[in-house]
Amino acid sequence: MPDIVVVGGGPAGSMSAAMLAKAHDVVVLEDHNVSGTPLQCTGLVSPDVVKMSGVNPTVLNSFSKLNVHFPDGFIYSVDCKSERAVLLDRSGLDRLLAEKAMDAGAEFRYSDRCISCKVFKDSVTTVTESGKEYDSQIVIGADGHNSMVRRMVCSEPPRMQVRGIQLDVKHTFDDQDAIDVWLGSNIAPGFFAWTVPYEDTVRIGLCTEWSCGIPADFLQTFLRKAGLSESKVIQRSSGKVPIGLQSRTYSDRLLLLGDSAGQVKPISGGGLYPMMASAPYLAQVVEGAFSENDFSARYLSRYQKLWKKEIGSELKHGFTLRRMYNNLRDDELDGIRRIIDTPFVHDLASTATIDNPSSMVLKALRNIPMAMRLMPYLFKGLFR
Ligand SMILES: Cc1cc2nc3c(=O)[nH]c(=O)nc-3n(C[C@H](O)[C@H](O)[C@H](O)COP(=O)(O)OP(=O)(O)OC[C@H]3O[C@@H](n4cnc5c(N)ncnc54)[C@H](O)[C@@H]3O)c2cc1C
């Protein structure tokens, strides 16, 4: 009988397994036949994430500039002067994390889907599609946006969901140092679109908020706008992102990590940093649960307190900003741009990190004259 069953062999599952497998018997259940495929991510992270991952993923490119294309065509450019984001080989990252977990002793069972978990007084039983049953002390739900384990932990669905589509196309951008982001209801309603270059390839994609239609319907228009509609497509991917803090990420013998826990930055949809910032707390609390032989919800609730202390305010403020943004019309976004196009905001933006974007916005709002001018938009965004 394993001590721990991890459902999901993505980055969250592999990271938690790597942290726990040295001291415990860990089984990881993954429904695909390998970690990292199919790709469902751009792979854009801060350099800190590379360090936090504890492995050496291939860095395809690095970036110090951001160009934000507003609906009226204005391009708001921020030059950070030093590296602020890197583009990873995300499939490779997942494979390396899984190998690290295996090296620590975790056993991966691929191509088998977990279909149920039943919590008893002294154990939890996990059943897979192939009919295998695992009794363990605890189950970690690292099973992504459509988590089965989450449904056992908390009844509410994610507060918001976005759907994404992405292509890698053959094209060489002159400026290899800039990420471009497009805003507007005709391009990516309820989220944003992006182009990220690496060598002779551009990763181009967009996300839309669930109620705004499917992203594929907006892709052709965006490809034309970005001048890439004739470029050869070499890779295609799609996926969903849960947005918004969840009320519970633990219950008796169950813990959630990563997308299943809603650990995603609401402004960018980036989930790797929040998951990696939370994983050590999960490992710490699981270790404590084994030494105290206490797997109750009361004991495991420490995990949620710890991870929310670390990243909860970014996720909470980010969600408020995301809701406000989604409630604003294109002309109102352009209005905001005219107000924030100042040396003060450029300076702030050029020192910001992509892991805490909302703190940059909150700092900007401490400038009273600017906050007063933004007030009508903030009210519309909050109360419309
Ligand atoms: C289009 C797009 C672009 C993105 N870009 C970025 C980005 O640039 N930077 C960033 O930080 N984040 C990005 N993200 C988000 C990021 O991909 C996720 O936050 C991250 O993958 C979460 O990791 P995870 O391990 O929690 O979940 P996942 O990566 O989804 O892994 C969960 C795994 O569990 C498996 N699984 C699910 N259910 C079961 C089951 N019942 N039994 C067995 N296995 C199961 C799944 O097959 C999957 O392999 C993007 C997401 C999308 C959709």
Side-chain angles (χ1 to χ4, degrees):
M1 157 169 159
D3 299 324
I4 302 166
V5 167
V6 178
V7 183
S14 295
M15 273 210 99
S16 50
M19 287 174 178
L20 293 163
K22 285 209 172 88
H24 305 282
D25 288 337
V26 178
V27 166
V28 181
L29 304 174
E30 166 59 44
D31 56 358
H32 292 98
N33 61 0
V34 65
S35 292
T37 309
L39 174 72
Q40 295 183 320
C41 182
T42 309
L44 204 59
V45 294
S46 69
D48 285 346
V49 167
V50 180
K51 290 185 206 132
M52 290 160 87
S53 74
V55 291
N56 267 320
T58 304
V59 173
L60 302 170
N61 198 4
S62 64
F63 305 94
S64 62
K65 291 189 221 150
L66 173 69
N67 300 317
V68 183
H69 299 243
F70 277 79
D72 63 1
F74 188 93
I75 304 173
Y76 187 95
S77 297
V78 180
D79 187 349
C80 302
K81 310 279 186 227
S82 63
E83 180 183 88
R84 281 307 146 83
V86 293
L87 180 69
L88 298 183
D89 166 9
R90 167 61 202 269
S91 296
L93 170 73
D94 286 21
R95 279 195 301 276
L96 290 172
L97 290 173
E99 278 163 27
K100 188 174 177 192
M102 289 174 206
D103 289 346
E107 203 181 312
F108 277 62
R109 304 274 166 91
Y110 284 110
S111 307
D112 205 3
R113 187 172 180 73
C114 171
I115 52 170
S116 76
C117 281
K118 202 155 184 188
V119 177
F120 299 99
K121 188 168 164 291
D122 295 321
S123 65
V124 46
T125 301
T126 311
V127 180
T128 69
E129 219 158 41
S130 72
K132 293 206 176 64
E133 281 193 22
Y134 303 90
D135 292 326
S136 61
Q137 293 293 349
I138 191 162
V139 166
I140 294 164
D143 45 346
H145 67 90
N146 190 25
S147 168
M148 185 213 74
V149 185
R150 182 190 60 231
R151 289 194 284 277
M152 300 189 55
V153 167
C154 88
S155 52
E156 75 221 33
R159 294 170 76 187
M160 191 187 281
Q161 284 206 65
V162 298
R163 296 181 271 202
I165 187 160
Q166 182 172 261
L167 305 176
D168 277 14
V169 298
K170 276 280 163 227
H171 188 92
T172 308
F173 273 179
D174 290 340
D175 191 354
Q176 288 282 320
D177 205 19
I179 299 161
D180 284 58
V181 164
W182 275 260
L183 311 178
S185 56
N186 293 329
I187 302 274
F191 217 72
F192 60 81
W194 60 89
T195 57
V196 182
Y198 65 102
E199 296 175 354
D200 62 350
T201 304
V202 179
R203 192 159 281 178
I204 176 168
L206 66 96
C207 282
T208 56
E209 200 270 322
W210 200 264
S211 61
C212 300
I214 54 171
D217 290 347
F218 296 87
L219 188 62
Q220 282 312 322
T221 310
F222 179 45
L223 280 165
R224 272 196 300 279
K225 189 143 191 124
L228 297 170
S229 55
E230 302 300 321
S231 306
K232 184 173 176 227
V233 177
I234 51 170
Q235 180 166 243
R236 198 177 278 270
S237 58
S238 61
K240 301 188 185 80
V241 188
I243 304 281
L245 272 177
Q246 250 172 241
S247 59
R248 259 172 92 100
T249 54
Y250 64 89
S251 67
D252 288 333
R253 296 188 182 276
L254 304 175
L255 286 173
L256 303 175
L257 181 70
D259 279 13
S260 65
Q263 288 160 340
V264 175
K265 289 174 283 177
I267 295 180
S268 66
L272 292 171
Y273 170 76
M275 180 278 287
M276 289 186 191
S278 305
Y281 295 120
L282 179 135
Q284 179 188 324
V285 172
V286 171
E287 293 296 358
F290 274 98
S291 25
E292 304 278 322
N293 194 26
D294 185 352
F295 300 93
S296 65
R298 196 186 51 79
Y299 187 89
L300 298 179
S301 66
R302 291 158 196 229
Y303 162 60
Q304 181 161 307
K305 285 202 191 87
L306 289 164
W307 79 256
K308 281 202 175 169
K309 197 164 172 219
E310 180 78 25
I311 54 163
S313 82
E314 174 59 39
L315 269 51
K316 187 168 154 231
H317 295 136
F319 187 74
T320 306
L321 292 168
R322 163 62 49 211
R323 256 190 35 225
M324 284 168 62
Y325 170 89
N326 287 7
N327 284 337
L328 291 171
R329 296 190 312 256
D330 286 354
D331 61 308
E332 291 166 338
L333 293 177
D334 294 328
I336 290 180
R337 193 271 304 157
R338 284 190 285 276
I339 297 171
I340 63 169
D341 193 7
T342 65
F344 167 67
V345 177
H346 275 270
D347 283 352
L348 261 184
S350 66
T351 55
T353 96
I354 64 167
D355 292 330
N356 299 296
S358 76
S359 68
M360 196 274 291
V361 178
L362 296 177
K363 271 189 206 151
L365 290 176
R366 284 196 210 124
N367 177 317
I368 303 294
M370 178 176 299
M372 296 298 284
R373 290 183 67 204
L374 286 170
M375 203 60 84
Y377 296 106
L378 302 183
F379 271 104
K380 278 180 202 155
L382 275 178
F383 300 115
R384 180 171 278 152

Short mmCIF file of all heavy atoms in Angstrom, two decimals, residues 66 68 70 76 78 80 84 267 313-314 317-318 321 336 340 342-367 370 374:
data_model
loop_
_atom_site.label_atom_id
_atom_site.label_comp_id
_atom_site.label_asym_id
_atom_site.label_seq_id
_atom_site.Cartn_x
_atom_site.Cartn_y
_atom_site.Cartn_z
N LEU A 66 8.08 44.41 -23.25
CA LEU A 66 6.67 44.04 -23.41
C LEU A 66 5.98 45.13 -24.23
O LEU A 66 6.12 46.32 -23.93
CB LEU A 66 6.00 43.94 -22.03
CG LEU A 66 4.48 43.72 -22.04
CD1 LEU A 66 4.13 42.34 -22.56
CD2 LEU A 66 3.91 43.89 -20.63
N VAL A 68 2.22 46.26 -25.34
CA VAL A 68 0.79 45.99 -25.16
C VAL A 68 0.03 46.75 -26.24
O VAL A 68 0.10 47.99 -26.32
CB VAL A 68 0.30 46.43 -23.76
CG1 VAL A 68 -1.17 46.06 -23.58
CG2 VAL A 68 1.15 45.78 -22.67
N PHE A 70 -3.24 48.18 -27.62
CA PHE A 70 -4.58 48.53 -27.15
C PHE A 70 -5.57 48.46 -28.31
O PHE A 70 -5.17 48.45 -29.48
CB PHE A 70 -4.55 49.91 -26.49
CG PHE A 70 -4.07 49.82 -25.05
CD1 PHE A 70 -2.73 49.71 -24.74
CD2 PHE A 70 -5.00 49.79 -24.01
CE1 PHE A 70 -2.30 49.56 -23.43
CE2 PHE A 70 -4.58 49.66 -22.70
CZ PHE A 70 -3.24 49.54 -22.40
N TYR A 76 1.66 50.29 -26.25
CA TYR A 76 2.26 50.76 -24.99
C TYR A 76 3.46 49.86 -24.73
O TYR A 76 3.31 48.67 -24.44
CB TYR A 76 1.21 50.61 -23.89
CG TYR A 76 1.58 51.20 -22.55
CD1 TYR A 76 1.18 52.48 -22.21
CD2 TYR A 76 2.29 50.47 -21.62
CE1 TYR A 76 1.50 53.04 -20.98
CE2 TYR A 76 2.61 51.01 -20.38
CZ TYR A 76 2.22 52.29 -20.07
OH TYR A 76 2.53 52.82 -18.84
N VAL A 78 7.04 48.71 -22.84
CA VAL A 78 7.80 48.78 -21.60
C VAL A 78 9.13 48.08 -21.84
O VAL A 78 9.15 46.92 -22.26
CB VAL A 78 7.06 48.06 -20.45
CG1 VAL A 78 7.88 48.14 -19.16
CG2 VAL A 78 5.67 48.63 -20.24
N CYS A 80 12.27 46.81 -19.92
CA CYS A 80 12.75 46.56 -18.54
C CYS A 80 14.27 46.58 -18.45
O CYS A 80 14.83 46.47 -17.35
CB CYS A 80 12.23 45.21 -18.04
SG CYS A 80 10.45 45.11 -18.07
N ARG A 84 13.22 39.66 -17.93
CA ARG A 84 12.07 39.57 -17.01
C ARG A 84 11.26 38.29 -17.21
O ARG A 84 10.49 37.88 -16.35
CB ARG A 84 11.10 40.75 -17.24
CG ARG A 84 11.54 42.00 -16.62
CD ARG A 84 11.84 41.77 -15.14
NE ARG A 84 12.94 42.60 -14.71
CZ ARG A 84 12.81 43.85 -14.36
NH1 ARG A 84 11.63 44.40 -14.35
NH2 ARG A 84 13.86 44.56 -14.02
N ILE A 267 -4.39 37.55 -13.71
CA ILE A 267 -4.11 38.56 -14.74
C ILE A 267 -3.51 37.90 -15.98
O ILE A 267 -3.90 38.19 -17.10
CB ILE A 267 -3.19 39.67 -14.19
CG1 ILE A 267 -3.94 40.42 -13.08
CG2 ILE A 267 -2.74 40.62 -15.30
CD1 ILE A 267 -3.17 41.54 -12.44
N SER A 313 -2.70 37.03 -1.67
CA SER A 313 -3.12 38.41 -1.95
C SER A 313 -2.95 38.70 -3.45
O SER A 313 -3.79 39.39 -4.05
CB SER A 313 -2.40 39.41 -1.05
OG SER A 313 -1.15 39.69 -1.56
N GLU A 314 -1.90 38.16 -4.08
CA GLU A 314 -1.75 38.37 -5.53
C GLU A 314 -2.94 37.74 -6.27
O GLU A 314 -3.51 38.33 -7.19
CB GLU A 314 -0.43 37.75 -6.02
CG GLU A 314 -0.22 37.77 -7.54
CD GLU A 314 -0.23 39.17 -8.14
OE1 GLU A 314 0.31 40.09 -7.53
OE2 GLU A 314 -0.81 39.34 -9.24
N HIS A 317 -6.21 39.98 -5.41
CA HIS A 317 -6.23 41.28 -6.09
C HIS A 317 -6.24 41.09 -7.60
O HIS A 317 -6.89 41.82 -8.33
CB HIS A 317 -5.03 42.13 -5.67
CG HIS A 317 -5.06 42.51 -4.23
ND1 HIS A 317 -3.98 42.45 -3.41
CD2 HIS A 317 -6.08 42.91 -3.44
CE1 HIS A 317 -4.31 42.81 -2.19
NE2 HIS A 317 -5.58 43.08 -2.18
N GLY A 318 -5.50 40.08 -8.04
CA GLY A 318 -5.47 39.80 -9.48
C GLY A 318 -6.85 39.45 -10.00
O GLY A 318 -7.24 39.86 -11.10
N LEU A 321 -8.88 42.63 -10.37
CA LEU A 321 -8.46 43.37 -11.57
C LEU A 321 -8.94 42.68 -12.84
O LEU A 321 -9.37 43.31 -13.80
CB LEU A 321 -6.93 43.52 -11.59
CG LEU A 321 -6.36 44.43 -10.50
CD1 LEU A 321 -4.84 44.28 -10.41
CD2 LEU A 321 -6.74 45.89 -10.76
N ILE A 336 -8.10 54.29 -20.28
CA ILE A 336 -7.15 53.98 -19.20
C ILE A 336 -5.72 54.13 -19.71
O ILE A 336 -4.85 54.69 -19.06
CB ILE A 336 -7.40 52.55 -18.66
CG1 ILE A 336 -8.71 52.51 -17.90
CG2 ILE A 336 -6.24 52.08 -17.79
CD1 ILE A 336 -9.07 51.16 -17.33
N ILE A 340 -2.53 56.18 -18.08
CA ILE A 340 -1.32 55.54 -17.50
C ILE A 340 -0.07 55.71 -18.37
O ILE A 340 1.00 55.23 -18.00
CB ILE A 340 -1.55 54.03 -17.22
CG1 ILE A 340 -1.83 53.27 -18.52
CG2 ILE A 340 -2.66 53.81 -16.19
CD1 ILE A 340 -1.80 51.75 -18.34
N THR A 342 2.42 57.48 -18.65
CA THR A 342 3.22 58.51 -17.99
C THR A 342 4.58 57.90 -17.62
O THR A 342 4.68 56.68 -17.45
CB THR A 342 2.56 58.97 -16.67
OG1 THR A 342 2.56 57.84 -15.78
CG2 THR A 342 1.16 59.48 -16.87
N PRO A 343 5.60 58.74 -17.45
CA PRO A 343 6.91 58.21 -17.04
C PRO A 343 6.82 57.44 -15.72
O PRO A 343 7.48 56.42 -15.54
CB PRO A 343 7.77 59.47 -16.87
CG PRO A 343 7.11 60.49 -17.72
CD PRO A 343 5.64 60.18 -17.72
N PHE A 344 5.93 57.90 -14.79
CA PHE A 344 5.79 57.23 -13.49
C PHE A 344 5.37 55.77 -13.69
O PHE A 344 5.99 54.85 -13.12
CB PHE A 344 4.75 58.01 -12.65
CG PHE A 344 4.28 57.27 -11.43
CD1 PHE A 344 5.15 57.01 -10.38
CD2 PHE A 344 2.96 56.82 -11.34
CE1 PHE A 344 4.71 56.33 -9.25
CE2 PHE A 344 2.52 56.13 -10.21
CZ PHE A 344 3.39 55.88 -9.17
N VAL A 345 4.34 55.54 -14.51
CA VAL A 345 3.86 54.16 -14.70
C VAL A 345 4.86 53.34 -15.52
O VAL A 345 5.10 52.17 -15.25
CB VAL A 345 2.44 54.13 -15.33
CG1 VAL A 345 2.00 52.70 -15.58
CG2 VAL A 345 1.45 54.82 -14.41
N HIS A 346 5.48 53.98 -16.52
CA HIS A 346 6.51 53.26 -17.28
C HIS A 346 7.62 52.77 -16.37
O HIS A 346 8.07 51.64 -16.46
CB HIS A 346 7.09 54.16 -18.37
CG HIS A 346 6.28 54.14 -19.63
ND1 HIS A 346 6.50 53.25 -20.63
CD2 HIS A 346 5.22 54.89 -20.02
CE1 HIS A 346 5.63 53.45 -21.60
NE2 HIS A 346 4.84 54.44 -21.25
N ASP A 347 8.06 53.67 -15.44
CA ASP A 347 9.13 53.28 -14.50
C ASP A 347 8.68 52.12 -13.63
O ASP A 347 9.43 51.16 -13.42
CB ASP A 347 9.51 54.46 -13.60
CG ASP A 347 10.38 55.45 -14.34
OD1 ASP A 347 10.78 55.13 -15.49
OD2 ASP A 347 10.64 56.55 -13.80
N LEU A 348 7.44 52.23 -13.12
CA LEU A 348 6.92 51.14 -12.27
C LEU A 348 6.87 49.83 -13.05
O LEU A 348 7.32 48.79 -12.57
CB LEU A 348 5.48 51.47 -11.84
CG LEU A 348 5.23 52.06 -10.47
CD1 LEU A 348 3.74 52.19 -10.25
CD2 LEU A 348 5.86 51.21 -9.38
N ALA A 349 6.33 49.91 -14.26
CA ALA A 349 6.16 48.68 -15.06
C ALA A 349 7.51 48.08 -15.39
O ALA A 349 7.67 46.85 -15.43
CB ALA A 349 5.38 48.99 -16.33
N SER A 350 8.52 48.93 -15.59
CA SER A 350 9.81 48.39 -16.01
C SER A 350 10.54 47.69 -14.86
O SER A 350 11.49 46.96 -15.08
CB SER A 350 10.69 49.48 -16.62
OG SER A 350 11.01 50.41 -15.62
N THR A 351 10.06 47.91 -13.62
CA THR A 351 10.71 47.21 -12.50
C THR A 351 9.83 46.06 -11.97
O THR A 351 10.24 45.36 -11.05
CB THR A 351 10.98 48.18 -11.32
OG1 THR A 351 9.74 48.79 -10.97
CG2 THR A 351 12.00 49.22 -11.67
N ALA A 352 8.63 45.90 -12.54
CA ALA A 352 7.69 44.88 -12.01
C ALA A 352 8.15 43.47 -12.39
O ALA A 352 8.90 43.28 -13.35
CB ALA A 352 6.30 45.13 -12.57
N THR A 353 7.68 42.49 -11.61
CA THR A 353 7.95 41.10 -11.99
C THR A 353 6.65 40.49 -12.51
O THR A 353 5.57 40.89 -12.09
CB THR A 353 8.47 40.21 -10.84
OG1 THR A 353 7.35 39.52 -10.28
CG2 THR A 353 9.15 41.01 -9.76
N ILE A 354 6.76 39.51 -13.38
CA ILE A 354 5.54 38.93 -13.94
C ILE A 354 4.84 38.03 -12.92
O ILE A 354 3.73 37.58 -13.15
CB ILE A 354 5.78 38.16 -15.27
CG1 ILE A 354 6.69 36.94 -15.06
CG2 ILE A 354 6.32 39.07 -16.33
CD1 ILE A 354 6.69 36.00 -16.26
N ASP A 355 5.49 37.77 -11.78
CA ASP A 355 4.85 36.91 -10.78
C ASP A 355 3.91 37.67 -9.86
O ASP A 355 3.06 37.06 -9.21
CB ASP A 355 5.93 36.17 -9.97
CG ASP A 355 6.66 35.17 -10.83
OD1 ASP A 355 6.03 34.64 -11.77
OD2 ASP A 355 7.86 34.93 -10.60
N ASN A 356 4.08 38.99 -9.77
CA ASN A 356 3.19 39.78 -8.89
C ASN A 356 2.63 40.99 -9.64
O ASN A 356 2.82 42.13 -9.22
CB ASN A 356 3.96 40.27 -7.66
CG ASN A 356 4.48 39.11 -6.85
OD1 ASN A 356 3.71 38.33 -6.32
ND2 ASN A 356 5.80 38.98 -6.80
N PRO A 357 1.92 40.77 -10.76
CA PRO A 357 1.50 41.93 -11.55
C PRO A 357 0.53 42.85 -10.81
O PRO A 357 0.57 44.07 -11.00
CB PRO A 357 0.82 41.30 -12.78
CG PRO A 357 0.48 39.90 -12.40
CD PRO A 357 1.50 39.49 -11.37
N SER A 358 -0.31 42.30 -9.93
CA SER A 358 -1.31 43.17 -9.30
C SER A 358 -0.64 44.16 -8.34
O SER A 358 -1.14 45.26 -8.13
CB SER A 358 -2.40 42.36 -8.60
OG SER A 358 -1.91 41.85 -7.40
N SER A 359 0.49 43.77 -7.75
CA SER A 359 1.12 44.70 -6.80
C SER A 359 1.62 45.94 -7.54
O SER A 359 1.63 47.04 -6.99
CB SER A 359 2.25 44.01 -6.03
OG SER A 359 3.29 43.71 -6.92
N MET A 360 1.99 45.78 -8.81
CA MET A 360 2.42 46.93 -9.60
C MET A 360 1.23 47.89 -9.81
O MET A 360 1.34 49.10 -9.66
CB MET A 360 2.94 46.40 -10.95
CG MET A 360 3.77 47.34 -11.75
SD MET A 360 2.84 48.45 -12.79
CE MET A 360 2.15 47.42 -14.04
N VAL A 361 0.05 47.31 -10.10
CA VAL A 361 -1.14 48.14 -10.33
C VAL A 361 -1.50 48.86 -9.02
O VAL A 361 -1.82 50.06 -9.02
CB VAL A 361 -2.32 47.26 -10.81
CG1 VAL A 361 -3.58 48.10 -10.99
CG2 VAL A 361 -1.96 46.55 -12.11
N LEU A 362 -1.42 48.16 -7.90
CA LEU A 362 -1.78 48.78 -6.62
C LEU A 362 -0.81 49.91 -6.28
O LEU A 362 -1.21 50.95 -5.76
CB LEU A 362 -1.83 47.74 -5.50
CG LEU A 362 -2.92 46.66 -5.69
CD1 LEU A 362 -2.86 45.61 -4.60
CD2 LEU A 362 -4.31 47.27 -5.77
N LYS A 363 0.47 49.72 -6.63
CA LYS A 363 1.45 50.80 -6.39
C LYS A 363 1.09 52.03 -7.23
O LYS A 363 1.16 53.16 -6.76
CB LYS A 363 2.85 50.33 -6.77
CG LYS A 363 3.59 49.66 -5.63
CD LYS A 363 5.04 49.42 -6.01
CE LYS A 363 5.60 48.24 -5.23
NZ LYS A 363 6.65 47.52 -5.92
N ALA A 364 0.70 51.78 -8.48
CA ALA A 364 0.34 52.90 -9.38
C ALA A 364 -0.84 53.67 -8.80
O ALA A 364 -0.91 54.90 -8.90
CB ALA A 364 0.03 52.37 -10.77
N LEU A 365 -1.78 52.94 -8.17
CA LEU A 365 -2.98 53.59 -7.64
C LEU A 365 -2.69 54.42 -6.39
O LEU A 365 -3.53 55.19 -5.94
CB LEU A 365 -4.07 52.55 -7.35
CG LEU A 365 -4.70 51.90 -8.59
CD1 LEU A 365 -5.67 50.82 -8.20
CD2 LEU A 365 -5.38 52.95 -9.47
N ARG A 366 -1.45 54.26 -5.83
CA ARG A 366 -1.10 55.11 -4.68
C ARG A 366 -0.78 56.54 -5.13
O ARG A 366 -0.67 57.44 -4.32
CB ARG A 366 0.11 54.52 -3.94
CG ARG A 366 -0.32 53.33 -3.11
CD ARG A 366 0.74 52.97 -2.08
NE ARG A 366 0.65 51.54 -1.85
CZ ARG A 366 1.65 50.68 -1.98
NH1 ARG A 366 2.85 51.11 -2.31
NH2 ARG A 366 1.47 49.40 -1.77
N ASN A 367 -0.63 56.71 -6.43
CA ASN A 367 -0.46 58.06 -6.98
C ASN A 367 -1.86 58.69 -7.04
O ASN A 367 -2.67 58.34 -7.90
CB ASN A 367 0.18 57.93 -8.37
CG ASN A 367 0.34 59.25 -9.07
OD1 ASN A 367 -0.54 60.10 -9.05
ND2 ASN A 367 1.48 59.43 -9.71
N MET A 370 -3.46 60.27 -10.22
CA MET A 370 -3.75 59.25 -11.23
C MET A 370 -4.95 58.40 -10.80
O MET A 370 -5.85 58.10 -11.59
CB MET A 370 -2.53 58.36 -11.44
CG MET A 370 -2.82 57.27 -12.44
SD MET A 370 -1.39 56.29 -12.79
CE MET A 370 -0.31 57.49 -13.45
N LEU A 374 -8.48 57.67 -12.70
CA LEU A 374 -8.88 56.29 -13.07
C LEU A 374 -10.20 55.88 -12.40
O LEU A 374 -10.83 54.91 -12.83
CB LEU A 374 -7.78 55.30 -12.65
CG LEU A 374 -6.51 55.29 -13.51
CD1 LEU A 374 -5.43 54.44 -12.84
CD2 LEU A 374 -6.79 54.75 -14.91
#
